[in-house]
Amino acid sequence: MQKWYLAHCRPREEERALQNLSNQNIEAFYPYAEVKKLYRRKLVTRTEALFPGYIFIKADLNVTSASTIGSTRGVRHLVRFGAGPCEVPTEVVIELMHHCDSDELRDKLTDLPQKGDSVRIETGPFAGLEAIYQEADGETRAILLLTLLQNATPTSFANDEFSRVPKT
């Protein structure tokens, strides 16, 4: 009977492991999400693993041995707790498949502020002041709502000039 297992992969070789497992007719799942991040002052969309270095494998270990899976290029070994490999409940994997790369997941993983988030200005003449993030202004800048002299003023700042204030 096929069950889901957790496999540890070699560094940054999850895609290779998926391809080689697929070549052996072994089903595998690599949960990821595309998130927006700042890279060299620009907004970029990147694919990030939810569990870096791990993939889920569906196999019948009576038919396909654990050593066959472990010797697949990109895979280090099946994760074990005690004597046997770690079984992952099917419901958990199916739930991950449904939520993988969803808008809700993207919002949780992104390090960028969302509209209405408090940010702290780090550099320039307004360093130390807090503002409210409004929206992106192109790839390298953002519009912040800065309160000066009891008046809220939308102002454009470079993406590397402010950071999100952690929510408490």
Side-chain angles (χ1 to χ4, degrees):
M1 186 169 136
Q2 289 193 336
K3 297 180 182 176
W4 284 99
Y5 299 95
L6 186 62
H8 187 232
C9 295
R10 298 192 182 284
R12 294 174 297 284
E13 290 195 6
E14 296 91 353
E15 295 289 334
R16 173 184 264 181
L18 282 175
Q19 181 62 44
N20 289 314
L21 288 164
S22 174
N23 292 343
Q24 298 174 55
N25 295 319
I26 298 172
E27 186 178 350
F29 173 59
Y30 173 53
Y32 66 91
E34 289 190 2
V35 295
K36 291 184 179 181
K37 298 258 180 168
L38 281 180
Y39 179 72
R40 295 185 181 178
R41 294 183 61 189
K42 289 189 177 183
L43 287 175
V44 294
T45 302
R46 292 193 165 176
T47 301
E48 287 192 0
L50 294 183
F51 309 106
Y54 294 92
I55 61 173
F56 297 94
I57 296 174
K58 186 175 185 179
D60 184 349
L61 295 184
N62 295 325
V63 176
T64 306
S65 71
S67 61
T68 300
I69 294 171
S71 64
T72 301
R73 289 189 68 153
V75 177
R76 279 196 172 154
H77 54 80
L78 287 176
V79 174
R80 297 180 174 275
F81 290 121
C86 174
E87 290 182 20
V88 179
T90 303
E91 299 81 28
V92 171
V93 177
I94 290 172
E95 193 69 25
L96 281 171
M97 286 178 175
H98 286 297
H99 292 292
C100 186
D101 203 28
S102 67
D103 290 336
E104 179 183 329
L105 186 58
R106 273 191 213 103
D107 290 344
K108 286 182 181 178
L109 293 176
T110 188
D111 61 353
L112 300 175
Q114 303 296 314
K115 184 174 182 168
D117 285 352
S118 292
V119 296
R120 180 170 290 113
I121 300 168
E122 304 289 341
T123 61
F126 300 111
L129 294 178
E130 286 195 12
I132 305 297
Y133 184 87
Q134 291 297 300
E135 63 184 344
D137 183 18
E139 291 184 346
T140 61
R141 301 186 69 77
I143 302 292
L144 305 181
L145 196 58
L146 187 61
T147 303
L148 296 172
L149 302 172
Q150 305 295 324
N151 191 16
T153 307
T155 311
S156 181
F157 286 88
N159 288 331
D160 62 351
E161 292 181 336
F162 62 89
S163 63
R164 183 167 46 175
V165 175
K167 294 179 182 176
T168 56

